[in-house]
Amino acid sequence: MQVTETTNEGLKRGYTITVTASELNDKVNEKLAEAQPEVEMKGFRKGKVPMALLKKQFGQRILGEAMQESIDGAMSKHFEDSGDRPAMQPEVNMVDGETWKEGDDVVVKMSYEALPEIPDVDLKSIELEKLVAKADDAAVDEALGNLAESAQDFEDKDGAADEGDQVVIDFVGKVDGEAFDGGSAEDYPLVLGSNSFIPGFEEQLKGVTAGEEKAVEVTFPEEYGAENLAGKAAVFDCTIKAVKAPKAAEVNDELAKKFGAEDLAALKAQIAERLEAEYVGAARAVMKRNLLDKLDEVVSFDLPPSLVTAEADQIAHQLWHEENPDVHDHNHDKIETTDEHKTLAERRVKLGLLLAELGQKAEVQVTDAEMTQAIMNQARQYPGQERQFFEFIQQNQQMQQQLRAPIFEDKVVDYVFELSTVTEKEITKDELQAAVEALEEDE
């Protein structure tokens, strides 16, 4: 077997692999000899079928297997000896494949782009700033106010109902003058603007007052769940029993108990803890972006064009679908990549290869427990189908990699943080929010 280099330009590699007819024949005979003891054939005892007959009977199938194993073996040995790591699956083509016949040498052309040598980075020379924000009284009070709003109650008001008010109504719905099942209720509390009723219903109750009667005329949507009502015009005879204005809950111990806290002081402590956890997460995102920017500046190496092209295509495709959310399939015109897509792709490929190299050298591993937690987090998006989701992930290597990749990246980033020179800077919540918004604008 012979492997001859044909291309060595930048990261591009090309080789010709030749398996001689004699080598191939020996491989076939070896495989037939291995199988002979177990072969049964009419007229012969088990294991006593002549080699010539075996070759006639199974030779063509064994020949194909021998060719594939020989080529695979030559490729594996080449990568082991050369140390090359292909950026993508190598392209392999058999020379004269259509005209090849038994007894000829097998000649295969293999081409690929090698992953580049990643230069060492002095991680200790990287200087980073860690933003630190505290949950002050104003932030806690603001969060308390939001909780009080979400726990709002309603109190009777004089005058007409406005958007956001609650109207307590009795109603009877009729189609063609006949009441229908499920179309009536008493003392029903309806918040105007909640869009919980048929389109047009709540709008017609704006301006009503307590004690008033109102005939609300609507048309059921064509796609309405009950077929006997879909697309039908209906009249709801409504009696307005009360009009109530929203009232935020008072910030006191009772409010705290509604949210599972012992008292107001305990609720404030919980809010402060939650806010500071959010601030830590936001500050980490900012520091991670700064780290990636610095690595992008200080590290330079050749990038495999195939990886950059694939990444640019993916970026263009993702952005196109974000701009066209109604298109959920791939039945659309080809999406052209731009220079901006290519620039972003080059950054992502460079940083991806660099972080992978750093993680490999540091022996960073994603544990089974971390993978299980990631799968559980994803499974929560499919209530009632968690088991099916787990089974799907177990059988799908690509999905496993998609879940593993961000965990691995974050662990590598944490490793770099530990080696970098990090200084803390205290800032306000608003300043942290501005830093996060600046990140979003750059994406």
Short mmCIF file of all heavy atoms in Angstrom, two decimals, residues 212-250:
data_model
loop_
_atom_site.label_atom_id
_atom_site.label_comp_id
_atom_site.label_asym_id
_atom_site.label_seq_id
_atom_site.Cartn_x
_atom_site.Cartn_y
_atom_site.Cartn_z
N GLU A 212 -75.60 48.65 34.26
CA GLU A 212 -75.96 48.79 32.84
C GLU A 212 -76.12 47.42 32.19
O GLU A 212 -75.52 46.43 32.61
CB GLU A 212 -74.86 49.59 32.13
CG GLU A 212 -75.14 49.89 30.66
CD GLU A 212 -74.03 50.71 30.02
OE1 GLU A 212 -73.24 51.34 30.77
OE2 GLU A 212 -73.94 50.72 28.78
N GLU A 213 -76.97 47.37 31.15
CA GLU A 213 -77.10 46.17 30.33
C GLU A 213 -76.56 46.48 28.95
O GLU A 213 -76.77 47.57 28.42
CB GLU A 213 -78.55 45.70 30.26
CG GLU A 213 -79.07 45.23 31.62
CD GLU A 213 -80.46 44.59 31.51
OE1 GLU A 213 -81.06 44.64 30.40
OE2 GLU A 213 -80.93 44.04 32.52
N LYS A 214 -75.86 45.51 28.38
CA LYS A 214 -75.18 45.75 27.11
C LYS A 214 -75.26 44.51 26.23
O LYS A 214 -74.98 43.40 26.67
CB LYS A 214 -73.70 46.09 27.38
CG LYS A 214 -72.84 46.27 26.14
CD LYS A 214 -72.95 47.65 25.56
CE LYS A 214 -71.98 47.89 24.44
NZ LYS A 214 -72.05 49.24 23.89
N ALA A 215 -75.68 44.70 24.98
CA ALA A 215 -75.70 43.62 24.01
C ALA A 215 -74.40 43.68 23.21
O ALA A 215 -74.17 44.65 22.48
CB ALA A 215 -76.91 43.73 23.09
N VAL A 216 -73.56 42.68 23.38
CA VAL A 216 -72.26 42.64 22.70
C VAL A 216 -72.37 41.75 21.47
O VAL A 216 -72.71 40.56 21.58
CB VAL A 216 -71.16 42.11 23.64
CG1 VAL A 216 -69.84 41.96 22.89
CG2 VAL A 216 -71.00 43.04 24.83
N GLU A 217 -72.10 42.32 20.30
CA GLU A 217 -72.21 41.57 19.06
C GLU A 217 -70.81 41.21 18.54
O GLU A 217 -69.97 42.09 18.33
CB GLU A 217 -72.96 42.40 18.01
CG GLU A 217 -74.37 42.77 18.43
CD GLU A 217 -75.09 43.60 17.37
OE1 GLU A 217 -74.50 43.80 16.29
OE2 GLU A 217 -76.22 44.04 17.66
N VAL A 218 -70.59 39.91 18.36
CA VAL A 218 -69.28 39.43 17.89
C VAL A 218 -69.48 38.31 16.87
O VAL A 218 -70.59 37.81 16.69
CB VAL A 218 -68.42 38.90 19.07
CG1 VAL A 218 -68.04 40.01 20.01
CG2 VAL A 218 -69.15 37.78 19.79
N THR A 219 -68.39 37.95 16.22
CA THR A 219 -68.38 36.81 15.30
C THR A 219 -67.28 35.87 15.73
O THR A 219 -66.13 36.27 15.90
CB THR A 219 -68.15 37.25 13.85
OG1 THR A 219 -69.19 38.15 13.46
CG2 THR A 219 -68.12 36.05 12.91
N PHE A 220 -67.65 34.60 15.92
CA PHE A 220 -66.65 33.61 16.30
C PHE A 220 -65.64 33.43 15.17
O PHE A 220 -66.00 33.42 13.99
CB PHE A 220 -67.31 32.26 16.61
CG PHE A 220 -67.99 32.21 17.95
CD1 PHE A 220 -69.35 32.47 18.07
CD2 PHE A 220 -67.26 31.90 19.09
CE1 PHE A 220 -69.98 32.41 19.31
CE2 PHE A 220 -67.87 31.85 20.33
CZ PHE A 220 -69.23 32.11 20.44
N PRO A 221 -64.36 33.27 15.50
CA PRO A 221 -63.35 33.04 14.46
C PRO A 221 -63.65 31.77 13.66
O PRO A 221 -64.23 30.82 14.19
CB PRO A 221 -62.04 32.90 15.26
CG PRO A 221 -62.31 33.55 16.57
CD PRO A 221 -63.77 33.33 16.85
N GLU A 222 -63.20 31.76 12.42
CA GLU A 222 -63.41 30.59 11.57
C GLU A 222 -62.73 29.34 12.14
O GLU A 222 -63.20 28.23 11.96
CB GLU A 222 -62.88 30.85 10.15
CG GLU A 222 -63.65 31.91 9.37
CD GLU A 222 -65.05 31.43 8.97
OE1 GLU A 222 -65.30 30.21 9.01
OE2 GLU A 222 -65.88 32.30 8.63
N GLU A 223 -61.60 29.56 12.84
CA GLU A 223 -60.86 28.42 13.37
C GLU A 223 -61.25 28.11 14.82
O GLU A 223 -60.54 27.39 15.53
CB GLU A 223 -59.34 28.69 13.30
CG GLU A 223 -58.84 29.83 14.16
CD GLU A 223 -58.98 31.20 13.50
OE1 GLU A 223 -59.64 31.28 12.44
OE2 GLU A 223 -58.44 32.18 14.05
N TYR A 224 -62.40 28.61 15.27
CA TYR A 224 -62.85 28.39 16.64
C TYR A 224 -62.99 26.89 16.91
O TYR A 224 -63.39 26.11 16.04
CB TYR A 224 -64.19 29.10 16.88
CG TYR A 224 -64.57 29.21 18.33
CD1 TYR A 224 -63.87 30.05 19.20
CD2 TYR A 224 -65.63 28.47 18.86
CE1 TYR A 224 -64.21 30.16 20.53
CE2 TYR A 224 -65.99 28.58 20.19
CZ TYR A 224 -65.27 29.42 21.03
OH TYR A 224 -65.61 29.51 22.35
N GLY A 225 -62.63 26.48 18.15
CA GLY A 225 -62.60 25.06 18.49
C GLY A 225 -63.92 24.34 18.34
O GLY A 225 -63.96 23.19 17.89
N ALA A 226 -65.04 24.99 18.69
CA ALA A 226 -66.36 24.35 18.58
C ALA A 226 -66.90 24.55 17.16
O ALA A 226 -67.17 25.69 16.75
CB ALA A 226 -67.32 24.93 19.61
N GLU A 227 -67.03 23.48 16.42
CA GLU A 227 -67.42 23.58 15.01
C GLU A 227 -68.80 24.22 14.83
O GLU A 227 -69.05 24.92 13.85
CB GLU A 227 -67.42 22.19 14.36
CG GLU A 227 -66.03 21.58 14.23
CD GLU A 227 -66.07 20.25 13.49
OE1 GLU A 227 -67.14 19.88 12.98
OE2 GLU A 227 -65.02 19.58 13.45
N ASN A 228 -69.71 24.00 15.80
CA ASN A 228 -71.06 24.55 15.67
C ASN A 228 -71.10 26.07 15.84
O ASN A 228 -72.10 26.72 15.54
CB ASN A 228 -72.01 23.89 16.69
CG ASN A 228 -71.59 24.17 18.12
OD1 ASN A 228 -70.42 24.07 18.46
ND2 ASN A 228 -72.54 24.52 18.97
N LEU A 229 -69.97 26.65 16.33
CA LEU A 229 -69.91 28.10 16.53
C LEU A 229 -68.93 28.79 15.58
O LEU A 229 -69.01 30.01 15.41
CB LEU A 229 -69.51 28.41 17.98
CG LEU A 229 -70.47 27.90 19.08
CD1 LEU A 229 -69.88 28.20 20.45
CD2 LEU A 229 -71.85 28.55 18.94
N ALA A 230 -68.03 28.04 14.99
CA ALA A 230 -67.00 28.63 14.15
C ALA A 230 -67.60 29.47 13.03
O ALA A 230 -68.46 29.01 12.27
CB ALA A 230 -66.10 27.53 13.56
N GLY A 231 -67.16 30.73 12.97
CA GLY A 231 -67.61 31.63 11.91
C GLY A 231 -69.00 32.20 12.11
O GLY A 231 -69.47 32.99 11.28
N LYS A 232 -69.67 31.85 13.21
CA LYS A 232 -71.05 32.30 13.43
C LYS A 232 -71.09 33.65 14.14
O LYS A 232 -70.27 33.96 15.00
CB LYS A 232 -71.81 31.27 14.29
CG LYS A 232 -71.96 29.90 13.65
CD LYS A 232 -72.95 29.94 12.50
CE LYS A 232 -73.17 28.55 11.90
NZ LYS A 232 -73.81 27.63 12.84
N ALA A 233 -72.12 34.46 13.79
CA ALA A 233 -72.38 35.72 14.49
C ALA A 233 -73.13 35.41 15.77
O ALA A 233 -74.00 34.53 15.81
CB ALA A 233 -73.18 36.66 13.60
N ALA A 234 -72.78 36.11 16.83
CA ALA A 234 -73.41 35.85 18.13
C ALA A 234 -73.68 37.16 18.84
O ALA A 234 -73.03 38.18 18.59
CB ALA A 234 -72.53 34.95 18.98
N VAL A 235 -74.67 37.13 19.75
CA VAL A 235 -74.99 38.28 20.60
C VAL A 235 -74.91 37.82 22.04
O VAL A 235 -75.52 36.79 22.41
CB VAL A 235 -76.39 38.84 20.29
CG1 VAL A 235 -76.71 39.98 21.26
CG2 VAL A 235 -76.50 39.32 18.85
N PHE A 236 -74.17 38.55 22.86
CA PHE A 236 -74.07 38.25 24.29
C PHE A 236 -74.81 39.34 25.05
O PHE A 236 -74.43 40.51 25.00
CB PHE A 236 -72.61 38.20 24.73
CG PHE A 236 -71.87 36.96 24.28
CD1 PHE A 236 -71.35 36.89 23.00
CD2 PHE A 236 -71.73 35.88 25.13
CE1 PHE A 236 -70.67 35.76 22.58
CE2 PHE A 236 -71.05 34.74 24.71
CZ PHE A 236 -70.52 34.68 23.43
N ASP A 237 -75.88 38.95 25.73
CA ASP A 237 -76.62 39.89 26.57
C ASP A 237 -75.91 39.96 27.92
O ASP A 237 -75.88 38.98 28.67
CB ASP A 237 -78.06 39.41 26.75
CG ASP A 237 -78.85 39.46 25.44
OD1 ASP A 237 -78.59 40.36 24.63
OD2 ASP A 237 -79.70 38.57 25.22
N CYS A 238 -75.34 41.11 28.22
CA CYS A 238 -74.51 41.27 29.42
C CYS A 238 -75.18 42.21 30.43
O CYS A 238 -75.72 43.25 30.06
CB CYS A 238 -73.14 41.83 29.06
SG CYS A 238 -72.21 40.83 27.87
N THR A 239 -75.09 41.82 31.69
CA THR A 239 -75.50 42.69 32.79
C THR A 239 -74.25 43.04 33.58
O THR A 239 -73.55 42.15 34.08
CB THR A 239 -76.51 41.98 33.71
OG1 THR A 239 -77.68 41.64 32.94
CG2 THR A 239 -76.90 42.89 34.87
N ILE A 240 -73.98 44.34 33.66
CA ILE A 240 -72.77 44.79 34.35
C ILE A 240 -73.09 44.93 35.83
O ILE A 240 -73.85 45.81 36.24
CB ILE A 240 -72.28 46.15 33.80
CG1 ILE A 240 -72.32 46.16 32.26
CG2 ILE A 240 -70.89 46.46 34.33
CD1 ILE A 240 -71.55 45.05 31.60
N LYS A 241 -72.53 44.06 36.66
CA LYS A 241 -72.84 44.06 38.08
C LYS A 241 -71.87 44.92 38.89
O LYS A 241 -72.22 45.40 39.98
CB LYS A 241 -72.85 42.62 38.60
CG LYS A 241 -73.83 41.73 37.82
CD LYS A 241 -73.87 40.32 38.32
CE LYS A 241 -74.66 40.19 39.60
NZ LYS A 241 -74.87 38.78 39.97
N ALA A 242 -70.65 45.09 38.36
CA ALA A 242 -69.68 45.93 39.08
C ALA A 242 -68.57 46.33 38.12
O ALA A 242 -68.25 45.60 37.17
CB ALA A 242 -69.10 45.20 40.28
N VAL A 243 -68.02 47.51 38.37
CA VAL A 243 -66.82 47.96 37.66
C VAL A 243 -65.76 48.22 38.71
O VAL A 243 -66.01 48.94 39.69
CB VAL A 243 -67.09 49.24 36.84
CG1 VAL A 243 -65.79 49.76 36.23
CG2 VAL A 243 -68.12 48.99 35.76
N LYS A 244 -64.59 47.62 38.53
CA LYS A 244 -63.55 47.73 39.54
C LYS A 244 -62.24 48.19 38.92
O LYS A 244 -61.88 47.77 37.83
CB LYS A 244 -63.34 46.37 40.23
CG LYS A 244 -64.59 45.85 40.93
CD LYS A 244 -64.30 44.57 41.71
CE LYS A 244 -65.54 44.11 42.48
NZ LYS A 244 -65.24 42.95 43.34
N ALA A 245 -61.52 49.02 39.63
CA ALA A 245 -60.22 49.52 39.18
C ALA A 245 -59.11 48.68 39.81
O ALA A 245 -59.26 48.21 40.94
CB ALA A 245 -60.05 50.98 39.57
N PRO A 246 -58.02 48.49 39.09
CA PRO A 246 -56.92 47.71 39.66
C PRO A 246 -56.26 48.45 40.81
O PRO A 246 -56.12 49.67 40.79
CB PRO A 246 -55.95 47.55 38.48
CG PRO A 246 -56.26 48.69 37.57
CD PRO A 246 -57.72 48.96 37.72
N LYS A 247 -55.84 47.70 41.79
CA LYS A 247 -55.18 48.27 42.95
C LYS A 247 -54.00 47.38 43.30
O LYS A 247 -54.16 46.18 43.56
CB LYS A 247 -56.15 48.34 44.14
CG LYS A 247 -55.50 48.86 45.43
CD LYS A 247 -56.46 48.75 46.59
CE LYS A 247 -55.78 49.20 47.90
NZ LYS A 247 -56.67 49.03 49.07
N ALA A 248 -52.81 47.96 43.26
CA ALA A 248 -51.63 47.18 43.60
C ALA A 248 -51.72 46.71 45.05
O ALA A 248 -52.24 47.42 45.92
CB ALA A 248 -50.37 48.01 43.39
N ALA A 249 -51.22 45.49 45.26
CA ALA A 249 -51.22 44.97 46.63
C ALA A 249 -50.30 45.82 47.50
O ALA A 249 -49.32 46.39 47.03
CB ALA A 249 -50.74 43.52 46.62
N GLU A 250 -50.63 45.93 48.76
CA GLU A 250 -49.78 46.68 49.68
C GLU A 250 -48.51 45.90 49.96
O GLU A 250 -48.51 44.67 50.05
CB GLU A 250 -50.53 46.93 50.99
CG GLU A 250 -51.70 47.90 50.83
CD GLU A 250 -52.32 48.24 52.18
OE1 GLU A 250 -51.62 48.09 53.20
OE2 GLU A 250 -53.48 48.63 52.20
#
